[in-house]
Amino acid sequence: MARHSRLLNELNRYWNEKLEGRGDLVERLTERDVLPQECSSSPVELVAACSLLTARKPIHEVLKSVACFSPECDAPGFDDDFFQQLQATLRDFEIAGLRSYSRKPRKVGLAIVGMHHAKDWQEHWSRETKRKPESAIRDKPFYPQPG
């Protein structure tokens, strides 16, 4: 549990900086159990919600909450801006040393891409998902490997 709270602390710090000190928004997103359904959410806020939700809940519960949104529903803005922001955030997480955690938001992104039939993003993240564990083994051959 200590590792989990440390991850949440790091994510809260990251999102407070990224969302320019809007701590009240980060606190509200941290307390939620589902993704926000307001149409006014920016792509950065949606990525923050996905990120904080995957840190607190098992991936299968997050995927269930994502499955509630249909492509016809225009509630959250899962568009190209969201996917670009998610890709940039995943890169930031990997640079910050949260490589193993960055797989969870990537899986959520893959689920959202599958719902919205964005083939180019689906191919890109599928390649990254397959490539990342292999490169992790090559980068750290003497550390215990997951799996």
Side-chain angles (χ1 to χ4, degrees):
M1 192 67 175
R3 181 177 181 180
H4 181 72
S5 63
R6 184 176 50 177
L7 173 65
L8 275 175
N9 288 340
E10 287 182 39
L11 289 175
N12 283 336
R13 192 174 326 116
Y14 173 81
W15 287 114
N16 274 326
E17 291 174 13
K18 187 80 169 186
L19 294 173
E20 296 159 351
R22 294 189 328 210
D24 60 328
L25 175 66
V26 174
E27 286 178 22
R28 279 184 292 160
L29 292 175
T30 303
E31 294 170 359
R32 285 197 170 180
D33 288 338
V34 293
L35 291 176
Q37 297 181 0
E38 301 93 34
C39 295
S40 62
S41 298
S42 70
V44 177
E45 293 172 4
L46 285 171
V47 171
C50 286
S51 167
L52 293 168
L53 193 58
T54 56
R56 290 183 37 247
K57 296 204 155 279
I59 192 71
H60 69 277
E61 289 183 22
V62 178
L63 293 176
K64 280 183 189 177
S65 73
V66 167
C68 295
F69 298 112
S70 67
E72 295 82 27
C73 170
D74 55 30
F78 295 132
D79 54 1
D80 199 45
D81 291 337
F82 169 79
F83 298 129
Q84 289 174 355
Q85 184 62 46
L86 182 59
Q87 179 65 28
T89 302
L90 293 173
R91 213 170 324 141
D92 290 346
F93 288 161
E94 289 178 0
I95 290 170
L98 300 173
R99 183 181 211 168
S100 62
Y101 166 72
S102 69
R103 284 187 225 134
K104 287 183 175 184
R106 185 175 285 115
K107 286 181 184 178
V108 173
L110 272 170
I112 294 170
V113 162
M115 281 179 13
H116 292 274
H117 308 294
K119 297 288 185 196
D120 52 341
W121 284 104
Q122 189 170 17
E123 290 172 7
H124 176 72
W125 281 336
S126 294
R127 277 193 312 262
E128 277 193 12
T129 303
K130 291 176 185 170
R131 181 182 61 85
K132 294 298 179 184
E134 294 170 1
S135 67
I137 292 171
R138 282 194 307 266
D139 291 345
K140 301 175 185 175
F142 301 111
Y143 292 113
Q145 299 297 322

